[in-house]
């Protein structure tokens, strides 16, 4: 499976039933320290960043953690069949405040809840929020 396929499966599953209550989604938000695979906005106007990786959960964990400079929540997205090593490192996810979302077939669920963060770059939070609302976004079925 390619990372792009995982992101597509994740988007389709979230559109059916968002495991964390999102109202809008957008692909690939670029910022000075990297790029977020999927960026979502909750009904309470909070930002949620998602970093998808097929296998390399530790890389995704650090990328997701970096996105907390502008996001309120960050999660790693992994396919179910490759999630066991990440789940065995639950303490690392909790230490960084990053959640873990697992995708299997047409559904996704949160295995490790993310901690709420207070973004330290509010100007970047505003830019990310604008990106979601101004770019091609996907309204969610359950919103």
């Amino acid at each position: 499976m390619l990372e792009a396929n995982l992101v597509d499966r994740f988007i389709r599953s979230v559109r059916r039933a968002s495991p964390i209550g999102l109202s809008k989604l957008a692909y690939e938000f670029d910022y000075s320290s990297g790029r977020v695979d999927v960026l979502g906005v909750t009904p309470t106007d909070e930002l949620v960043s998602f970093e998808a990786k097929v296998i390399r959960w530790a890389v995704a964990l650090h990328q997701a953690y970096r996105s907390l400079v502008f996001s309120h929540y960050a999660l790693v997205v992994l396919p179910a069949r490759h999630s066991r090593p990440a789940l065995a490192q639950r303490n690392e996810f909790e230490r960084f405040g990053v959640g873990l979302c697992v995708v299997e077939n047409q559904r996704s669920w949160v295995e490790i809840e993310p901690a709420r963060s207070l973004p330290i770059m509010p100007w970047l939070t505003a830019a990310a929020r604008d990106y979601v609302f101004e770019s091609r976004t996907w309204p969610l079925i359950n919103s």
Side-chain angles (χ1 to χ4, degrees):
M1 171 188 300
L2 298 174
E3 186 177 305
N5 296 43
L6 175 61
V7 169
D8 288 341
R9 284 184 184 184
F10 174 68
I11 293 285
R12 283 195 306 269
S13 74
V14 170
R15 288 191 71 205
R16 285 189 185 86
S18 176
I20 56 172
L22 299 171
S23 58
K24 285 200 175 285
L25 290 174
Y27 280 120
E28 299 183 345
F29 172 67
D30 290 312
Y31 65 106
S32 60
S33 297
R35 183 189 75 210
V36 173
D37 292 320
V38 177
L39 186 61
V41 176
T42 68
T44 58
D45 208 30
E46 294 180 309
L47 289 174
V48 184
S49 297
F50 297 91
E51 287 295 339
K53 290 285 186 254
V54 175
I55 296 173
R56 300 178 318 153
W57 67 267
V59 172
L61 175 61
H62 289 282
Q63 289 173 330
Y65 177 69
R66 274 197 323 250
S67 73
L68 288 174
V69 298
F70 66 87
S71 292
H72 298 93
Y73 299 94
L75 292 96
V76 169
V77 177
L78 294 172
R81 70 175 180 232
H82 296 296
S83 64
R84 189 172 303 188
L87 286 168
Q89 298 299 319
R90 176 180 292 272
N91 61 331
E92 286 298 298
F93 283 83
E94 291 171 349
R95 184 166 69 100
F96 285 102
V98 174
L100 175 63
C101 187
V102 176
V103 178
E104 185 174 48
N105 299 322
Q106 300 300 316
R107 65 185 199 97
S108 62
W109 62 93
V110 175
E111 282 284 348
I112 300 172
E113 291 289 332
R116 187 180 188 285
S117 177
L118 183 59
I120 60 171
M121 295 184 167
W123 62 269
L124 190 52
T125 303
R129 189 179 292 116
D130 289 347
Y131 175 81
V132 173
F133 286 100
E134 292 172 4
S135 69
R136 180 173 176 228
T137 59
W138 292 267
L140 302 178
I141 293 169
N142 61 334
S143 62

